[in-house]
Amino acid sequence: MTIVYDRRWDGPHGIGRFSAELRSRLEGDVRDLHGAHPVSPRGLVEIELLPHLRAPHDALLLSPGYCPSLSWPGLSAITVHDLIHLRVEGERSRGKTLYYEQVVRRAVRRPRTLVLTVSDFSKRDLLEWSGIPDERVVVVGNGVDPRFSPQG
C-alpha cells in the first residue's frame, strides 16, 4: 500500500520530532508531501489538493498532526496529540474551537479514519469529545530517537 506522508510538520518542535521519528520508521512506497506549514491558510488548502495529485486512491494519507484532509476519499490516519487547544484557557481561541469542531471532529468521525494519539489520557479525552468507537483511536506514544532509551 502506498502511504502519503505529510512532511509539512517537520521542524524543531514537539510535532516536528514526532513527525521525523514516525517517518523514519515507515517503509515501502511512501510519498512525502511538502509545502506550506500545515496550520497556515495556504497549508490548509494544500492538504485538500496535494494528496490527490501525488497518490493513487487506494493510498493511506498519514498526518503526524491535527490537520486532516476532508476531501481525501481513501483511508487516512490523523494524529491528535491532545485537545490542548480546547481544554487549556491560554491555548483556546474562537478560531481554534471552530477548527476543531468543523474540521478535526468531522475528520475523526469518518469511518475510514484512524486516530493516533500519544497517551491513554488523550485517548480517553478524544473518545469522549468525538464519540467515536474505542478501536478507532490508537495510542502510539511520542516519537523518540532510540538514543533516549535506558541504554542510550
Side-chain angles (χ1 to χ4, degrees):
M1 169 183 278
T2 300
I3 298 173
V4 179
Y5 191 73
D6 191 353
R7 292 297 298 262
R8 300 169 313 142
W9 287 98
D10 289 1
H13 46 77
I15 295 178
R17 163 66 77 176
F18 178 85
S19 176
E21 294 298 333
L22 179 58
R23 177 61 182 91
S24 74
R25 289 162 173 83
L26 297 176
E27 297 177 355
D29 184 11
V30 182
R31 301 179 188 182
D32 293 331
L33 280 182
H34 296 280
H37 190 278
V39 187
S40 68
R42 181 175 172 187
L44 293 172
V45 171
E46 284 178 348
I47 197 60
E48 300 303 331
L49 303 174
L50 291 177
H52 300 287
L53 301 174
R54 307 237 172 112
H57 274 348
D58 64 344
L60 167 72
L61 177 59
L62 176 55
S63 175
Y66 53 90
C67 292
S69 171
L70 293 177
S71 64
W72 180 254
L75 298 172
S76 64
I78 172 180
T79 308
V80 182
H81 297 261
D82 52 48
L83 295 177
I84 191 172
H85 299 115
L86 300 176
R87 305 296 194 224
V88 176
E89 186 64 37
E91 293 292 328
R92 186 174 44 234
S93 71
R94 191 162 147 119
K96 289 174 186 176
T97 299
L98 184 64
Y99 180 78
Y100 271 78
E101 297 297 326
Q102 297 299 315
V103 178
V104 178
R105 190 186 323 241
R106 239 172 93 198
V108 302
R109 285 183 171 172
R110 291 174 63 189
R112 299 189 65 166
T113 300
L114 179 68
V115 181
L116 309 177
T117 194
V118 298
S119 70
D120 289 328
F121 176 86
S122 289
K123 178 177 180 171
R124 286 189 304 275
D125 203 20
L126 279 161
L127 291 170
E128 179 184 316
W129 173 76
S130 68
I132 63 174
D134 181 83
E135 63 273 6
R136 296 247 326 277
V137 180
V138 178
V139 176
V140 295
N142 279 311
V144 294
D145 187 281
R147 66 184 163 178
F148 294 107
S149 69
Q151 297 77 29

